[in-house]
Amino acid sequence: MSLTPTKSTELLIDGQLVPGSGGAFDVINPATEEVIGQAAEATAADLDAAIEAARRAFDTTDWSRDHAFRARCLRQLRDALKGHTEELRELTVAEVGCPVFLTHGPQLDGPIDDLGYFADLAENYEWTTDLGVAKPMGIKNHREIRSEAVGVVGAITPWNFPHQINFAKIGPALAAGCTVVLKPAPDTPWCAALVGKVIAEETDIPPGVINIVTSTDHGLGAQLTTDPRVDLVTFTGSTETGRKVMAAAAPSLKKVFLELGGKSAFIVLDDADLATACSMAAFNVVTHAGQGCAITTRLLVPRDKLFTATELTRDALAGLAAGDPTASGTICGPLVSARQRERVEEYLQIAVAEGGTIECGGGRPADQERGYFISPTLISGLSNSARVAQEEIFGPVLVIMAHDGDDDAIAIANDSPYGLSGQVWGTDPARIDRVVSGVRTGTMGINGGIWYAADVPFGGYKQSGIGREMGVAGFAEYLETKSVARPA
Ligand code: NAD
């Protein structure tokens, strides 16, 4: 089987690869602006069939009870995908515009490997916990707690790290015994659809257990949130859409699990190595052109070091120019779409209108005639109440601000509706620890520490989300708890 999509990808519904009832839509390479193929355009009727298949597979097969079979299927999927890694790498860079170096980590190789972690969980999880005997109401009872799959999962994902986010939902949901309908973002249909092709053609995953429905119609996401046959909606995307998902899921009282936006702080303490910290802050914000929810986009430095830190960060950003994502040295590729680039450009105008200074970058690079590129940008001269310091931009844009000591840095970091991630740089372990515990976010890195791994839970405080993805906590999101007792 060749993975190279020469014409168009298909939907995966009830084990069959089928065309979209709505025809097909164009897939665009963000680095060249060229149409590189098509993806199947699903309609509401296609999604309805996918939900029905997932419901039937959950209700009428042993999928949710057969832990060993699910582990085998997940490992089979991982191994089948590994057989296509280089084709997947090429098409992921072409469709997402992500730098190829990232595909050796969280954009491809990492998420494929992570399927093995979820297979191990299916096999080794303590599905039943024996609580022993107790005497409720004076009668001896033997009690146990069982974990069971939630049911049909509607998974809605964004475009920025498609494999990572798709597999962080599919992996634990299948391991838990759920069945899934995945609706990926319209910007990155191939990453999902080609996984669907591998599932259909190279695995024993039964029909209906996983269904993949690509579409340009956001209404299909909304349909997943309201359909009563769906038991849980797992959503990654913007906080604005997350609110809609939660509200729409309320009438049918679905479980809702949300991974949303961020505006994370990179805190430099006064005993940190300033040059190293500033170059890491620059590197972070240009990675995948800043299109990562956990990327640190506010740089907080000691007030007496603001001038030097601004110069250091500006110099570091100058060495990280936006460019061809297929080149091995590129860190900052294009933004995913013209729409996303316009959004970033609007924020750059807002920054200037609010009195900010563009220290470097600030627009499209002169040397890139095509592609949705924005030059790495540093903004100074604004306080934390500025819109570019409060709102998620999702581009290679860093806002540098001064703090007046550790507690002030914590307060500025927390002065945000978001609470997803952060970094602290310093040398005194006690001061670092105080900052780590003071910042209200779901993840924190110390001196460049990288928390991303299959066994590490990821998610947000405050308006960055509800629930955790990855790790045992992420797996448990897809489980119900059943308490059982019998007379002893
Ligand atoms: P988005 O919210 O516009 O769309 C995400 C998905 O939701 C897409 O598949 C879209 O089709 C679907 N959708 C749109 N409207 C819907 C509705 N009313 N009901 C149900 N589904 C709907 O986000 P995006 O622009 O694709 O992605 C960027 C955003 O995702 C950023 O805000 C980023 O921070 C966030 N994100 C969060 C995480 C995380 O784990 N916290 C990870 C990656 C991206």
Side-chain angles (χ1 to χ4, degrees):
M1 183 193 77
S2 167
L3 270 183
T4 310
T6 48
K7 284 185 187 162
S8 178
T9 52
E10 294 172 301
L11 311 175
L12 174 60
I13 299 177
D14 206 5
Q16 303 295 313
L17 294 169
V18 293
S21 301
F25 62 97
D26 289 344
V27 176
I28 294 168
N29 180 333
T32 63
E33 302 182 31
E34 284 166 2
V35 175
I36 50 175
Q38 280 79 37
E41 178 77 280
T43 61
D46 293 325
L47 183 63
D48 185 69
I51 296 171
E52 188 58 30
R55 187 74 258 169
R56 197 212 62 249
F58 187 80
D59 291 339
T60 66
T61 75
D62 268 347
W63 174 253
S64 67
R65 295 184 192 87
D66 195 341
H67 309 317
F69 177 56
R70 298 201 305 276
R72 187 171 76 73
C73 285
L74 278 165
R75 290 192 188 111
Q76 195 183 33
L77 174 58
R78 175 199 60 194
D79 296 344
L81 291 170
K82 276 181 186 252
H84 295 290
T85 307
E86 294 318 311
E87 296 148 272
L88 281 167
R89 195 181 311 291
E90 200 180 316
L91 80 89
T92 302
V93 173
E95 179 181 64
V96 185
C98 64
V100 68
F101 98 94
L102 273 178
T103 65
H104 296 284
Q107 279 287 17
L108 182 64
D109 294 356
I112 292 175
D113 279 336
D114 292 349
L115 292 172
Y117 170 81
F118 297 117
D120 292 348
L121 274 178
E123 211 162 52
N124 304 324
Y125 192 69
E126 191 178 357
W127 291 97
T128 302
T129 308
D130 189 341
L131 289 186
V133 174
K135 281 185 167 179
M137 293 184 258
I139 302 163
K140 273 174 85 179
N141 268 273
H142 197 143
R143 297 90 29 81
E144 67 185 32
I145 301 171
R146 297 183 192 178
S147 294
E148 297 182 345
V150 166
V152 174
V153 169
I156 305 169
T157 58
W159 40 262
N160 58 333
F161 281 81
H163 296 300
Q164 198 283 323
I165 298 168
N166 291 343
F167 292 164
K169 297 187 186 308
I170 294 172
L174 297 189
C178 295
T179 58
V180 178
V181 178
L182 170 66
K183 197 218 74 69
D187 312 85
T188 51
W190 278 359
C191 286
L194 289 163
V195 170
K197 188 167 165 67
V198 172
I199 289 170
E201 296 182 349
E202 299 185 40
T203 76
D204 297 323
I205 295 176
V209 162
I210 171 126
N211 305 272
I212 298 177
V213 175
T214 55
S215 178
T216 54
D217 181 3
H218 295 305
L220 267 58
Q223 191 179 335
L224 271 179
T225 64
T226 53
D227 192 299
R229 293 168 294 177
V230 175
D231 298 294
L232 177 151
V233 171
T234 171
F235 170 83
T236 298
S238 62
T239 295
E240 191 186 347
T241 309
R243 281 191 198 99
K244 290 183 195 161
V245 166
M246 197 166 174
S252 55
L253 282 176
K254 291 183 204 324
K255 280 184 88 172
V256 176
F257 163 36
L258 305 172
E259 297 290 356
L260 309 175
K263 193 72 198 180
S264 301
F266 189 113
I267 298 173
V268 183
L269 304 183
D270 61 12
D271 61 354
D273 173 346
L274 192 65
T276 308
C278 290
S279 57
M280 275 311 297
F283 181 87
N284 280 0
V285 84
V286 304
T287 302
H288 192 20
Q291 300 169 112
C293 51
I295 285 175
T296 44
T297 50
R298 293 180 292 155
L299 175 57
L300 312 183
V301 299
R303 189 169 299 281
D304 62 352
K305 296 187 163 80
L306 179 61
F307 180 78
T308 312
T310 303
E311 285 197 324
L312 287 166
T313 311
R314 192 176 51 214
D315 291 350
L317 287 170
L320 294 164
D324 177 6
T326 64
S328 60
T330 299
I331 313 295
C332 184
L335 298 170
V336 76
S337 61
R339 177 179 60 98
Q340 186 62 19
R341 181 174 59 180
E342 274 164 30
R343 178 185 147 98
V344 174
E345 286 175 326
E346 264 174 45
Y347 272 111
L348 298 177
Q349 286 165 12
I350 290 167
V352 173
E354 289 192 343
T357 302
I358 305 284
E359 297 283 349
C360 63
R364 304 179 187 194
D367 61 345
Q368 303 286 350
E369 279 177 20
R370 295 181 72 76
Y372 308 123
F373 294 94
I374 289 281
S375 289
T377 299
L378 181 66
I379 300 171
S380 67
L382 291 171
S383 77
N384 195 53
S385 60
R387 282 187 61 189
V388 287
Q390 285 291 316
E391 298 174 22
E392 186 175 53
I393 299 173
F394 237 52
V397 181
L398 184 61
V399 183
I400 189 168
M401 292 174 284
H403 69 75
D404 293 309
D406 302 4
D407 286 346
D408 188 45
I410 294 170
I412 297 170
N414 286 339
D415 177 17
S416 168
Y418 297 111
L420 196 54
S421 191
Q423 276 280 335
V424 53
W425 282 64
T427 51
D428 179 346
R431 286 176 59 191
I432 289 172
D433 193 58
R434 190 177 151 76
V435 173
V436 168
S437 60
V439 175
R440 304 275 302 150
T441 57
T443 56
M444 280 295 284
I446 298 169
N447 291 330
I450 299 167
W451 36 260
Y452 167 72
D455 59 347
V456 177
F458 170 67
Y461 288 22
K462 302 196 278 184
Q463 293 183 30
S464 285
I466 297 174
R468 290 292 177 274
E469 201 138 74
M470 314 285 277
V472 177
F475 171 72
E477 297 284 350
Y478 298 94
L479 296 176
E480 287 281 15
T481 299
K482 181 176 281 177
S483 303
V484 179
R486 61 175 67 88

